[in-house]
Amino acid sequence: DGGITQSPKYLFRKEGQNVTLSCEQNLNHDAMYWYRQDPGQGLRLIYYSQIVNDFQKGDIAEGYSVSREKKESFPLTVTSAQKNPTAFYLCASSLGPGLAGGRSGNEQFFGPGTRLTVL
Amino acid sequence: AQKITQTQPGMFVQEKEAVTLDCTYDTSDPSYGLFWYKQPSSGEMIFLIYQGSYDQQNATEGRYSLNFQKARKSANLVISASQLGDSAMYFCAIRAGNNRKLIWGLGTSLAVNP
């Protein structure tokens, strides 16, 4: 079945440690995204990538890094520079950015998420 | 800049009744798309329905329909014949013009009562 997988589901990190969250898709989508969700908040974009070997910062990129070496994979590293990393992290993919207002929205499909807790 | 406002933090509905979840948006771009997603307690975001700004008709997908009022800049989600499994958070989002990003509202928590 086609879809997006994220691992692990739960992740615990000690302060000062870097940690990498995995995101893999087999939908043959060009675009991939990382979001952060805090309680009572909407989703905030961390990084996104429209094509292999290219990515752009989102609204809250500080303390995070990504790579896009393969079309299927878009791992997110939460570095020790991220001061408040405890959150729910969601990865998404889409065919492409799409044409806003057009008949096809090129909606984003999401993985099951990773809940990161800093101890 | 784009903005989404969802004014209902929480809603209750009886099973089998219809419910409307409000979403208003703000954008100066004439070309935009509006999305609704469902987030059950498991956390995964599930795409429900899409409305393009140039679409002549309101979008429908099964029990979901979108009441799109362009002049009012509103895109309310209507769920007909509510089911217990509809209990979840519901998010409205917008993507406008050349902007690749989705801008999200804060969501509405829906509880379906038996």
Side-chain angles (χ1 to χ4, degrees):
Chain A
D1 286 357
I4 303 175
T5 57
Q6 290 186 243
S7 61
K9 189 173 179 65
Y10 298 95
L11 188 56
F12 298 90
R13 189 194 95 173
K14 292 182 180 179
E15 283 194 34
Q17 284 183 337
N18 291 357
V19 64
T20 297
L21 281 59
S22 169
C23 177
E24 304 276 334
Q25 55 98 0
N26 61 4
L27 300 168
N28 200 32
H29 285 170
D30 290 314
M32 296 187 74
Y33 311 81
W34 272 106
Y35 291 94
R36 170 181 171 139
Q37 186 178 30
D38 295 283
Q41 302 281 330
L43 274 64
R44 292 186 290 169
L45 184 65
I46 305 172
Y47 269 97
Y48 63 104
S49 167
Q50 300 299 318
I51 197 169
V52 174
N53 291 323
D54 186 46
F55 48 83
Q56 289 79 41
K57 291 182 178 180
D59 301 316
I60 55 165
E62 185 176 351
Y64 300 97
S65 65
V66 293
S67 63
R68 187 85 187 276
E69 296 176 1
K70 298 187 298 183
K71 189 175 185 178
E72 308 80 38
S73 179
F74 192 41
L76 173 74
T77 297
V78 184
T79 74
S80 56
Q82 170 49 237
K83 297 305 178 189
N84 186 22
T86 295
F88 187 55
Y89 291 86
L90 284 158
C91 178
S93 71
S94 67
L95 277 171
L99 180 64
R103 290 193 57 79
S104 171
N106 280 5
E107 61 270 16
Q108 294 179 14
F109 294 87
F110 285 78
T114 293
R115 195 166 298 278
L116 173 64
T117 302
V118 174
L119 303 174
Chain B
Q2 295 82 45
K3 184 180 179 181
I4 291 286
T5 303
Q6 294 181 256
T7 58
Q8 306 154 313
M11 291 281 288
F12 294 91
V13 65
Q14 281 302 118
E15 194 177 6
K16 300 181 184 178
E17 293 185 351
V19 63
T20 298
L21 306 182
D22 294 342
C23 172
T24 57
Y25 60 91
D26 189 25
T27 179
S28 57
D29 201 302
S31 175
Y32 54 89
L34 295 152
F35 301 78
W36 275 93
Y37 282 82
K38 171 184 178 181
Q39 187 179 38
S41 57
S42 60
E44 184 173 351
M45 298 289 281
I46 302 166
F47 168 72
L48 295 178
I49 195 166
Y50 167 79
Q51 180 84 45
S53 59
Y54 298 129
D55 291 345
Q56 295 297 312
Q57 294 184 322
N58 287 347
T60 60
E61 290 286 347
R63 294 186 299 111
Y64 305 107
S65 61
L66 213 151
N67 183 1
F68 182 45
Q69 299 188 42
K70 202 168 181 177
R72 289 187 167 187
K73 293 191 174 181
S74 74
N76 298 339
L77 177 71
V78 180
I79 305 175
S80 63
S82 297
Q83 302 171 355
L84 295 178
D86 293 334
S87 295
M89 285 290 293
Y90 289 81
F91 291 92
C92 180
I94 186 171
R95 180 167 54 82
N98 292 325
N99 196 335
R100 267 72 164 144
K101 301 185 290 186
L102 280 177
I103 306 300
W104 297 79
L106 295 182
T108 295
S109 177
L110 176 66
V112 180
N113 297 324

